[in-house]
Amino acid sequence: SRLPRFWEEFLIVHPVSLTDIFFELGGVSLLGTHLFLRLEEEFAKHLPLGTVFEAPTIRKLAAILREDSWVSSGLIQVQAGDPSVRPIFFVEARVGYRALAEELGSEQPVFVVPYDDLFVSDPERSLTSIAQELVRRIRQHQPQGPYYVGGMCGAGRVAFAVASELYRHGEKVPLLVLID
């Protein structure tokens, strides 16, 4: 298979097994971006970068590449945490919250709500429209607030728009994390 060769090339790890986890082999945001661009060229299939969270092993990624109609769940669990603890939803177009999730402690559930797929489908989409779609994805997982929302760098603006949209619908957002 070509996938192990790609992972070995990008991660500079030899050999790579079908069950090795991308992040445990040293995979980080920048490498993930380059890897997914290369996969898109090689397999002529666009995968949102967040797919690496949903399919962090070669075996899982290969299964997704074989599917003609695979669609991301729109919400990526970075850390399961304690189900009795309210999750934090980080909006993001790129990968990058694994280390932060570990720093928050193993009890804290952390999700990433990627939005790079929204730009691919419509590059002219408004911030309000993106926020409305992300709120829909968040509410599928957690129908009622309060909500904890965050974003890093440019995604901080999107996180603010998501919090505003939730507030507009009468929901409470006691925690809005903007990281620069």
Side-chain angles (χ1 to χ4, degrees):
S1 171
R2 295 175 283 183
L3 284 177
R5 188 179 75 237
F6 288 141
W7 280 41
E8 289 172 353
E9 176 185 329
F10 281 92
L11 297 170
I12 312 172
V13 174
H14 303 280
V16 174
S17 80
L18 298 179
T19 57
D20 283 338
I21 296 173
F22 179 80
F23 302 104
E24 292 176 5
L25 295 175
V28 294
S29 302
L30 188 56
L31 287 175
T33 301
H34 291 295
L35 175 64
F36 272 67
L37 289 172
R38 178 76 183 274
L39 291 173
E40 192 169 311
E41 288 173 12
E42 185 72 22
F43 295 98
K45 185 171 186 174
H46 173 74
L47 296 174
L49 185 57
T51 305
V52 77
F53 278 111
E54 293 184 75
T57 67
I58 292 172
R59 178 172 285 144
K60 290 179 181 178
L61 185 56
I64 287 172
L65 286 168
R66 282 191 294 272
E67 288 185 39
D68 289 333
S69 60
W70 181 81
V71 177
S72 172
S73 68
L75 198 66
I76 300 161
Q77 185 175 47
V78 178
Q79 182 167 281
D82 182 338
S84 68
V85 175
R86 289 246 179 233
I88 296 176
F89 298 95
F90 285 104
V91 298
E92 188 57 70
R94 299 283 179 240
V95 178
Y97 289 100
R98 191 170 191 79
L100 178 58
E102 290 172 2
E103 289 295 321
L104 292 172
S106 61
E107 308 82 37
Q108 180 61 59
V110 177
F111 290 88
V112 169
V113 189
Y115 59 90
D116 57 334
D117 60 317
L118 301 176
F119 287 121
V120 170
S121 64
D122 182 2
E124 301 298 317
R125 197 168 192 161
S126 73
L127 182 58
T128 301
S129 172
I130 290 169
Q132 289 169 343
E133 173 58 23
L134 297 182
V135 165
R136 185 191 67 73
R137 292 176 182 182
I138 289 169
R139 290 180 107 178
Q140 281 182 330
H141 178 76
Q142 181 184 323
Q144 297 177 341
Y147 293 95
Y148 303 150
V149 179
M152 190 178 300
C153 298
R157 215 173 130 223
V158 180
F160 184 83
V162 166
S164 297
E165 186 67 21
L166 285 163
Y167 183 75
R168 193 172 73 71
H169 287 282
E171 295 292 350
K172 290 184 171 39
V173 184
L175 180 66
L176 174 61
V177 179
L178 306 176
I179 304 169
D180 191 14

